[in-house]
């Protein structure tokens, strides 16, 4: 029984949702392992654009019967229902019958969002603003902090009890008021949030499930029982795991502290989706797919060695602006402009070593169509010494000198190309170079925003 993991290989926004959408058409189950509605995937189908945040992208395919928000996730309940409603308004059928939430996932409160903003604003005064993380202000960090401090609220508490979760939320609010002061939280009313969540509780019960037996049954090859128009049916399982954010935003393996608050890599899959045996990845047809953008982008603060901006040269600033404009590089969740730079193979190789990719999906190749030259970072020099690994030391990253390989641009349209052979020769050479250097086959190549704009090799 195959299990496919789709993980971001850079700083997020690589285009994971499109591949998940394609693969979900043959999946019985699509799962989210970590993160919250700070994530963002955009999928374009028949001219309609769908934005996903906390919901698994498998909901766009009616044949995908189970979409699971796993234990490792944190869920803002109003956003969960708002997103379901938005999908229904765009014509998707049966989304509420195909979504489940682990009973061990944590609730992300409005309070967490308020506190997230307060903490980020306070960081502006640290080292002239260098202390800012650049969070989405969705409350993800404070929610995970409360989870680790053992004062959070899980979904089983919310739907099964009343006194405990209400007391916990009031205690959280009192603690944050003590920490930040009444003025900082003056726009927040804890009793109003409790009232709103009481109204959601009965409806939420239909979505909350025990995750471990569900996944254990699926990966054990016993089939997944799902409701259909013909009554109960058992489908041969094919599990698809949808990563959120990306490896360089992982709390342990990313550019700490400029990271998200969860494990976004391979390790987070197994902690966030208990019941999914690592042995399942040895099954025939199983793969770990690293999604790699044909250049590099980043949202928010933090180091970015190949970033193209005016501090390098006017030419480089122009290249960065062109990547941003042609690639439409705006965050799905925040709307912020993404910082843009060349492909960084040092970073991708590091990501590959951590996540053990077996295949690569190279996305947005078409964005490079009109460039006269295209560069790829092949190594770093730090204090004059060449490095072939991605350092943890952020001070070292600030001093890094990039070793580039320069390619002549193909300056022909690749948009909508269906086969590898139909790509311009220079584009094929670019893909083959990345494949050869990373040592992982490039299985898919994105050539446009639509579902069908994907080459499969």
């Amino acid at each position: 029984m195959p299990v496919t993991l789709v993980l971001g290989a850079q700083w997020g926004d690589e285009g994971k949702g499109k591949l998940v959408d394609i693969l979900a058409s043959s999946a019985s189950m699509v799962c989210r392992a970590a993160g919250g509605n700070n994530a963002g995937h955009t999928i374009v189908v028949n001219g309609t654009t769908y934005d996903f945040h906390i919901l698994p992208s498998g909901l766009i395919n009616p044949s995908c019967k189970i979409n699971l928000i796993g234990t490792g996730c944190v869920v803002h309940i109003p956003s969960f229902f708002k997103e379901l409603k938005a999908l229904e308004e765009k014509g998707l059928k049966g989304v509420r019958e195909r979504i489940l939430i682990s009973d061990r996932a944590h609730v992300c409160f409005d309070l967490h969002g308020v506190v997230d903003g307060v903490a980020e604003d306070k960081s502006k005064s640290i080292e002239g603003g260098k202390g800012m993380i650049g969070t989405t202000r969705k409350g993800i960090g404070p929610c995970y902090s409360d989870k680790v401090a053992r004062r959070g609220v899980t979904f089983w508490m919310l739907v099964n009890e009343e006194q405990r979760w209400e007391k916990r939320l009031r205690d959280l609010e009192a603690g944050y008021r003590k920490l930040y002061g009444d003025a900082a939280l003056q726009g927040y009313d804890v009793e109003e949030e409790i009232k709103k969540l009481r109204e959601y509780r009965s409806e939420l019960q239909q979505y909350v499930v025990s995750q471990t037996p569900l996944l254990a049954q699926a990966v054990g090859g016993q089939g997944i029982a799902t409701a259909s128009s013909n009554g109960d049916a058992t489908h041969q399982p094919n599990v698809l795991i949808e990563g959120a954010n990306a490896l360089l935003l992982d709390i342990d393996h990313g550019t700490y502290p400029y990271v998200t608050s969860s494990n976004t890599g391979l390790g987070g899959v197994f902690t966030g989706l208990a019941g999914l045996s690592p042995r399942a990845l040895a099954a025939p047809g199983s793969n770990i797919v690293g999604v790699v953008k044909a250049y590099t982008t980043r949202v928010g603060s933090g180091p970015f060695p190949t970033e193209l901006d005016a501090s390098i040269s006017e030419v480089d600033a122009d290249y960065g602006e062109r990547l941003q404009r042609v690639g439409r590089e705006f965050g799905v969740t925040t709307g912020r402009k993404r910082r843009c730079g060349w492909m960084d193979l040092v970073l991708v190789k590091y990501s590959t070593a951590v996540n053990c990719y077996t295949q690569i999906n190279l996305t947005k190749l078409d964005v490079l169509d009109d460039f006269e030259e295209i560069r790829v970072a092949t190594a770093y020099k730090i204090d004059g010494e060449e490095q072939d690994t991605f350092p943890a030391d952020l001070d070292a990253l600030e001093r890094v000198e990039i070793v580039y390989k320069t390619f002549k641009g193909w300056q022909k349209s690749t948009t909508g190309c269906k086969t590898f052979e139909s790509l311009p020769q220079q584009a094929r050479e670019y893909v083959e170079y990345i494949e050869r250097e990373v040592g992982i086959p490039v299985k898919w190549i994105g050539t446009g925003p639509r579902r069908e704009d994907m080459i499969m090799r």
Side-chain angles (χ1 to χ4, degrees):
M1 182 281 302
V3 175
T4 302
L5 276 56
V6 177
L7 302 174
Q10 295 152 302
W11 275 294
D13 309 307
E14 299 93 351
K16 299 178 289 295
K18 181 176 172 182
L19 181 62
V20 169
D21 172 49
I22 291 170
L23 298 177
S25 62
S26 59
S28 301
M29 178 188 290
V30 175
C31 306
R32 276 278 308 273
N37 63 324
N38 59 330
H41 301 312
T42 300
I43 301 172
V44 181
V45 180
N46 298 325
T48 301
T49 300
Y50 300 91
D51 292 334
F52 289 85
H53 298 281
I54 185 58
L55 299 180
S57 303
L59 283 172
I60 208 168
N61 284 284
S63 61
C64 182
K65 300 301 182 184
I66 297 179
N67 290 265
L68 174 68
I69 298 171
T71 293
C73 296
V74 296
V75 184
H76 182 248
I77 293 169
S79 296
F80 169 81
F81 283 110
K82 180 180 178 181
E83 200 171 334
L84 282 175
K85 183 179 179 182
L87 294 181
E88 290 172 329
E89 289 175 346
K90 290 190 176 183
L92 290 184
K93 305 294 185 184
V95 291
R96 293 175 193 264
E97 289 75 44
R98 296 186 288 118
I99 182 71
L100 298 172
I101 304 172
S102 168
D103 55 4
R104 296 176 186 267
H106 275 245
V107 178
C108 184
F109 295 114
D110 291 347
L111 173 63
H112 289 129
V114 172
V115 169
D116 200 356
V118 170
E120 189 74 349
D121 288 340
K122 287 192 69 172
S123 67
K124 290 179 182 179
S125 62
I126 301 174
E127 297 181 27
K130 290 184 179 180
M132 290 187 69
I133 301 299
T135 77
T136 60
R137 298 174 182 250
K138 299 291 185 181
I140 308 304
C143 184
Y144 275 113
S145 295
D146 286 333
K147 172 182 176 178
V148 173
R150 300 177 295 279
R151 56 180 178 241
V153 173
T154 57
F155 271 81
W156 69 261
M157 290 184 194
L158 184 67
V159 299
N160 292 342
E161 299 186 5
E162 189 161 345
Q163 300 299 322
R164 182 182 301 190
W165 73 265
E166 291 185 10
K167 182 180 185 305
R168 283 191 168 226
L169 180 51
R170 290 190 180 99
D171 287 346
L172 286 175
E173 190 253 3
Y176 282 124
R177 284 193 183 277
K178 185 176 181 179
L179 178 63
Y180 293 114
D182 288 338
L185 274 70
Q186 63 182 345
Y188 175 76
D189 185 338
V190 67
E191 297 305 322
E192 183 63 29
E193 178 158 29
I194 288 173
K195 178 182 176 182
K196 185 164 54 176
L197 289 172
R198 282 174 181 164
E199 295 171 355
Y200 283 126
R201 286 179 71 239
S202 60
E203 186 176 359
L204 272 171
Q205 288 178 345
Q206 66 183 304
Y207 305 114
V208 178
V209 297
S210 180
Q211 167 189 292
T212 303
L214 179 70
L215 276 171
Q217 181 188 31
V219 299
Q222 300 171 25
I224 302 174
T226 59
S228 70
S229 58
N230 298 320
D232 288 340
T234 299
H235 301 269
Q236 183 62 31
N238 180 353
V239 179
L240 178 61
I241 312 301
E242 175 183 21
N245 309 119
L247 192 278
L248 270 295
L249 294 174
D250 187 280
I251 188 68
D252 289 318
H253 303 292
T255 49
Y256 185 89
Y258 301 99
V259 292
T260 191
S261 301
S262 61
N263 288 111
T264 60
L266 181 62
V269 169
F270 297 108
T271 56
L273 291 171
L276 176 73
S277 170
R279 291 191 296 271
L281 291 176
S286 291
N287 279 291
I288 305 172
V289 183
V291 184
V292 179
K293 195 177 285 188
Y295 46 101
T296 311
T297 61
R298 176 165 200 170
V299 173
S301 306
F304 187 169
T306 65
E307 184 173 11
L308 293 162
D309 58 28
S311 66
I312 306 171
S313 71
E314 290 186 9
V315 173
D316 287 284
D318 177 65
Y319 279 140
E321 189 280 329
R322 286 169 64 185
L323 285 171
Q324 197 279 326
R325 173 171 44 83
V326 177
R328 299 178 182 178
E329 296 295 351
F330 295 91
V332 176
T333 300
T334 63
R336 292 178 293 182
K337 282 186 177 182
R338 296 174 185 144
R339 301 154 62 191
C340 296
W342 298 119
M343 165 73 75
D344 187 338
L345 287 183
V346 179
L347 182 157
V348 174
K349 288 178 181 179
Y350 167 71
S351 178
T352 300
V354 175
N355 279 345
C356 306
Y357 306 127
T358 60
Q359 297 174 334
I360 286 175
N361 172 202
L362 188 69
T363 65
K364 303 189 83 164
L365 183 70
D366 56 300
V367 173
L368 301 177
D369 283 353
D370 294 329
F371 283 77
E372 300 82 9
E373 68 172 32
I374 299 163
R375 286 177 244 159
V376 176
T378 59
Y380 295 166
K381 285 185 177 179
I382 301 176
D383 301 330
E385 294 188 13
E386 189 165 307
Q387 313 280 325
D388 61 358
T389 188
F390 192 86
D393 186 338
L394 300 195
D395 294 331
L397 278 174
E398 290 290 338
R399 305 193 306 274
V400 91
E401 178 187 346
I402 305 294
V403 179
Y404 281 111
K405 178 178 175 61
T406 301
F407 291 81
K408 182 180 179 181
W410 44 91
Q411 296 189 281
K412 296 178 182 177
S413 176
T414 64
T415 302
C417 283
K418 303 298 183 186
T419 65
F420 186 67
E421 291 70 27
S422 65
L423 292 173
Q425 180 180 345
Q426 291 94 334
R428 296 199 302 273
E429 291 174 356
Y430 182 72
V431 174
E432 289 170 341
Y433 179 79
I434 293 169
E435 185 176 59
R436 188 165 58 250
E437 288 298 304
V438 180
I440 304 296
V442 175
K443 179 71 172 179
W444 295 272
I445 303 168
T447 58
R450 301 174 302 169
R451 174 190 277 176
E452 56 267 30
D453 295 334
M454 183 79 85
I455 294 171
M456 180 176 177
R457 297 171 73 197

